[in-house]
Amino acid sequence: MPLKRPAPDPNQTGSPSESSSSFLHPSKHFKADINKALPDIKTYIVQGKLDVQTIAELFGLAERHAGGVCKDATEADVIITAISMRRRFERHVPWGVAKNKAVVTPQWLRDSVKNGSALPCGKYVAIEDLHETTVENCPECNCKSCACSDGSSTAISLTSPRRAHAHLPSPPASPGTSTMRQHREEQSHVREKREVQIPANLLPPDPPIPTNLQKLDHTSRYACQRASPLVCMNQDLVRELDIIRQSRALEGEERSALSYQRALSIIKAYPDKIRSLKQVEKLPFIGVKISGLVEEFLDSGGIAESQTIKTSERFQILSLFSSVYGIGPNTARRLYNLGLRSLDDLEVYYGVEREEIDVPPDEVVEVEGKPPRQEHGKPLAREPHEHEEGLSDSWIRIALGLREDFTKKIPRDEVEEMGRAVMHELNELEPGCVSTIVGGHRRGKPESNDVDIVFTHPDAEKVKGLCKRFVRKLHKRGMVTHVMHLSGFHGHNPLRTTHWDSLEKALTVFILPQSSPFYRGTRRRLDLIFAPPQVYWTAVIGWSGSIMFQRDLRQWAKDKLGMKFDSSGITRRYDSKEIHPKTEKEVFDLFGLEWVDPTWRNADA
């Protein structure tokens, strides 16, 4: 089939002859394909730590001189990355995939193209842990050019080297078989993507900022001034106290529950093993009642009240009911008082139909109405106030139907795979976005109940409406099966007359694509949060938790600085002026606090 000359670039000035000269003649294109240095080598380019110009350069070299750029690392022969740390690299490529590929630095591609054939990978290994496998999987150096090329390679080569060099992660489709109007739209899209530059302040610091534990005070009344590890020296005592806290919360005794929460939070940060009551008597929030419980634990290794509660049928059933997404303490008590005692009873009560659960709706269902009460940006105990609606019964039915999947913990590597999968889809929809996986994962938990991800884009206008567009895309791809809540931006509400913040968010049921090495067919809870760039880091802090750390951070801002802090921003109370720190560290600096790494923010049990 003869090649069709592409339409001229509508933005190019000059005579028609000058315009047409910017494209290679078909005969020149055929010759260029024959002379490819790496015709049979497919590459995958990890964009982390690369600037826009370098990304454009590498994509240009790979498209013109190699077998092209793959969208999935599993399909590539060579993975090109400027990242040298395994932990950061695994944010982009699963380790199991990387061990079966040659993982090299960008210089390998440059030098191989200059050499005219693939060079040995030994001196270009990007990550030292992958040195042996990279050498083993290095492509053969005597690759022969092939006169035949696939349609996509031919089409991309129709553009001039200057334009190929400007290609960004997802090059537009070939203009060779498109109409003039389509070609203009595609070239406009290329220019738009080329202009996307991610400011350094929207990227996490590399290397991470260390926490100076010597400057943190474990006796402070504010959890945001204490170092709280994931597992502390007195974890058994903390667990015993937390059983009592849970019981108080389930019974609606919120003030008592908060007292226990504060006590176990201060014990969580205690740096030494507690062997004597004198060690804790003068700590904040340790009153007569808590002191007695601590003394009992030191004497017997347990707390009688905790053991009684744990074996109580009522506590066990209320805990079981409230573990269902959408059911909080108030609803759990109501269901218990109706005589329900098991999840099977709940299924009958809510009329769960398996067919309804297993076959998701054809269209994304947008749930409008009042959302659940918030704590550090997340639904608190999944329970709204009495005057709020919360999730409808239809979504409780879905949660019950999916409870077997929802009760399975999500390992860290699967959490990160979910992050990579959604970012891959988002970059196709809106290039230039950045994201942070927050929640317990960011605080170092080995397993998570659900996954929370905060997104933004350097252009605030492009963030507006992006959440709904993205959810529809994921739904169309089969990666989002149900949407529990889907909200757009609300006007900033400095007086906090409502509990729901002003960020766009979607609470979804997510499943990894079958092409993922982590695919098991298990459905997971995934919360997507979209923040404007000016409040990105406050959103990240707010959604990172823990609950007690966030509560005390808000209290500190109020007590010490007369400010209001939540995941949607920082506001000066006396005049409602918004303050926009540019980095996460700057939030702590603004509040006059020592930096606390997320792994030291585990102020809950």
Side-chain angles (χ1 to χ4, degrees):
M1 180 179 177
L3 293 169
K4 181 179 178 182
R5 185 182 297 253
D9 188 341
N11 295 307
Q12 187 170 356
T13 59
S15 65
S17 61
E18 291 172 334
S19 176
S20 63
S21 68
S22 65
F23 294 94
L24 288 176
H25 190 275
S27 63
K28 295 180 181 178
H29 153 72
F30 182 78
K31 182 178 180 181
D33 273 352
I34 293 178
N35 294 329
K36 279 189 175 184
L38 315 167
D40 299 322
I41 299 176
K42 296 180 181 179
T43 60
Y44 179 82
I45 299 174
V46 177
Q47 298 174 42
K49 293 194 74 174
L50 297 176
D51 57 35
V52 175
Q53 292 75 16
T54 303
I55 293 172
E57 174 205 0
L58 295 176
F59 269 87
L61 289 173
E63 295 291 358
R64 293 198 309 277
H65 301 288
V69 180
C70 300
K71 292 185 178 181
D72 190 332
T74 58
E75 300 171 358
D77 302 303
V78 175
I79 298 174
I80 298 171
T81 180
I83 298 172
S84 59
M85 296 175 60
R86 170 176 175 173
R87 184 175 178 182
R88 181 161 185 174
F89 178 77
E90 286 184 293
R91 300 177 189 174
H92 305 273
V93 179
W95 194 248
V97 173
K99 290 199 294 186
N100 293 305
K101 307 290 180 183
V103 182
V104 298
T105 62
Q107 197 59 38
W108 176 88
L109 180 59
R110 299 185 185 107
D111 290 351
S112 294
V113 169
K114 186 182 297 184
N115 183 61
S117 62
L119 291 170
C121 300
K123 72 173 188 176
Y124 298 98
V125 174
I127 299 173
E128 191 56 36
D129 288 351
L130 294 173
H131 190 284
E132 184 176 343
T133 55
T134 293
V135 172
E136 288 177 359
N137 293 293
C138 189
E140 295 295 329
C141 298
N142 57 350
C143 299
K144 300 296 183 183
S145 298
C146 177
C148 301
S149 59
D150 60 26
S152 62
S153 175
T154 299
I156 293 174
S157 296
L158 285 172
T159 58
S160 68
R162 177 180 61 84
R163 287 193 176 274
H165 188 273
H167 284 168
L168 285 181
S170 299
S174 164
T177 57
S178 65
T179 63
M180 182 181 294
R181 179 179 178 183
Q182 287 173 326
H183 177 52
R184 287 171 181 164
E185 292 173 350
E186 288 163 356
Q187 294 303 320
S188 174
H189 189 48
V190 170
R191 286 192 296 275
E192 181 182 353
K193 285 165 52 172
R194 186 169 53 204
E195 293 171 358
V196 175
Q197 293 187 359
I198 301 175
N201 68 288
L202 291 181
L203 300 174
D206 188 15
I209 303 169
T211 299
N212 189 339
L213 299 178
Q214 301 300 320
K215 291 188 176 181
L216 297 176
D217 181 9
H218 70 273
T219 66
S220 172
R221 296 183 63 85
Y222 298 90
C224 55
Q225 285 192 309
R226 305 193 294 258
S228 303
L230 185 63
V231 178
C232 70
M233 298 288 291
N234 303 284
Q235 195 67 30
D236 291 340
L237 171 58
V238 168
R239 290 193 189 101
E240 290 287 293
L241 293 174
D242 192 54
I243 292 171
I244 303 175
R245 180 203 63 80
Q246 291 178 54
S247 175
R248 301 292 193 269
L250 288 170
E251 297 296 348
E253 302 171 20
E254 294 187 5
R255 293 189 64 177
S256 178
L258 180 58
S259 296
Y260 279 95
Q261 178 81 330
R262 291 195 182 282
L264 67 86
S265 178
I266 197 76
I267 293 173
K268 190 83 184 287
Y270 197 78
D272 303 313
K273 184 73 174 177
I274 297 174
R275 304 183 186 281
S276 166
L277 186 59
K278 290 182 178 180
Q279 292 175 265
V280 298
E281 279 181 328
K282 295 183 179 179
L283 291 176
F285 313 118
I286 305 295
V288 175
K289 169 71 174 178
I290 303 294
S291 294
L293 296 176
V294 171
E295 186 174 25
E296 180 184 354
F297 178 85
L298 294 175
D299 291 341
S300 64
I303 298 175
E305 183 179 357
S306 299
Q307 298 304 314
T308 301
I309 289 172
K310 218 165 36 168
T311 57
S312 161
E313 180 195 47
R314 179 178 173 87
F315 175 77
Q316 292 173 358
I317 293 173
L318 291 180
S319 298
L320 178 66
F321 287 177
S322 62
S323 70
V324 176
Y325 188 88
I327 296 180
N330 290 344
T331 304
R333 291 195 304 275
R334 178 174 61 81
L335 295 171
Y336 183 88
N337 292 336
L338 289 174
L340 308 183
R341 293 296 182 266
S342 69
L343 293 179
D344 289 338
D345 291 346
L346 292 188
E347 286 195 358
V348 173
Y349 177 81
Y350 282 101
V352 174
E353 297 290 342
R354 291 291 173 180
E355 295 77 10
E356 176 186 0
I357 308 304
D358 293 334
V359 181
D362 293 332
E363 299 293 335
V364 174
V365 178
E366 296 186 22
V367 181
E368 299 297 340
K370 296 178 180 180
R373 182 159 57 106
Q374 296 295 295
E375 186 70 76
H376 73 274
K378 301 184 66 175
L380 177 59
R382 308 297 184 192
E383 179 77 358
H385 280 311
E386 294 288 343
H387 62 279
E388 293 178 335
E389 282 186 357
L391 299 178
S392 66
D393 286 356
S394 62
W395 292 122
I396 294 178
R397 286 199 297 274
I398 292 171
L400 282 167
L402 297 177
R403 70 177 189 271
E404 290 183 7
D405 281 1
F406 284 179
T407 54
K408 296 177 183 176
K409 298 285 188 178
I410 314 174
R412 286 189 67 82
D413 54 359
E414 185 179 341
V415 172
E416 291 165 5
E417 173 69 4
M418 290 171 65
R420 283 188 290 265
V422 297
M423 276 304 295
H424 176 79
E425 297 295 326
L426 182 57
N427 276 326
E428 286 188 349
L429 180 66
E430 189 61 72
C433 289
V434 296
S435 67
T436 300
I437 301 174
V438 288
H441 178 84
R442 192 165 188 248
R443 301 198 309 275
K445 286 190 175 182
E447 295 179 319
S448 302
N449 295 315
D450 61 359
V451 178
D452 309 311
I453 309 178
V454 177
F455 305 87
T456 194
H457 190 283
D459 185 345
E461 290 302 313
K462 291 186 176 180
V463 184
K464 293 181 180 178
L466 184 55
C467 182
K468 292 185 178 182
R469 290 167 51 210
F470 185 42
V471 168
R472 292 189 181 102
K473 183 180 192 299
L474 292 177
H475 182 270
K476 186 175 181 181
R477 290 271 285 112
M479 296 167 72
V480 161
T481 61
H482 300 83
V483 181
M484 301 288 192
H485 177 84
L486 184 60
S487 71
F489 280 117
H490 303 281
H492 183 67
N493 183 12
L495 298 179
R496 309 307 309 142
T497 55
T498 63
H499 288 284
W500 201 239
D501 60 40
S502 59
L503 307 178
E504 284 192 354
K505 61 187 64 66
L507 314 182
T508 74
V509 178
F510 176 87
I511 187 169
L512 282 167
Q514 294 186 16
S515 60
S516 169
F518 292 88
Y519 175 79
R520 301 291 183 273
T522 307
R523 287 161 288 195
R524 305 296 198 180
R525 284 193 287 122
L526 172 66
D527 295 349
L528 309 172
I529 306 99
F530 286 77
Q534 64 270 22
V535 298
Y536 176 62
W537 288 113
T538 58
V540 168
I541 292 175
W543 280 79
S544 291
S546 60
I547 292 177
M548 204 66 226
F549 188 93
Q550 296 306 311
R551 186 192 294 272
D552 281 2
L553 190 59
R554 293 198 302 270
Q555 196 65 43
W556 173 275
K558 177 183 177 181
D559 295 346
K560 306 296 183 180
L561 303 166
M563 293 182 180
K564 197 163 206 41
F565 168 83
D566 61 25
S567 59
S568 57
I570 299 173
T571 307
R572 200 162 56 192
R573 285 177 174 270
Y574 74 85
D575 61 358
S576 298
K577 176 180 174 58
E578 296 179 44
I579 301 169
H580 300 140
K582 293 183 178 179
T583 66
E584 187 175 21
K585 174 69 161 55
E586 200 171 302
V587 175
F588 284 79
D589 293 341
L590 173 68
F591 289 164
L593 292 168
E594 284 294 321
W595 166 254
V596 180
D597 185 83
T599 56
W600 291 101
R601 301 179 196 170
N602 292 285
D604 302 332

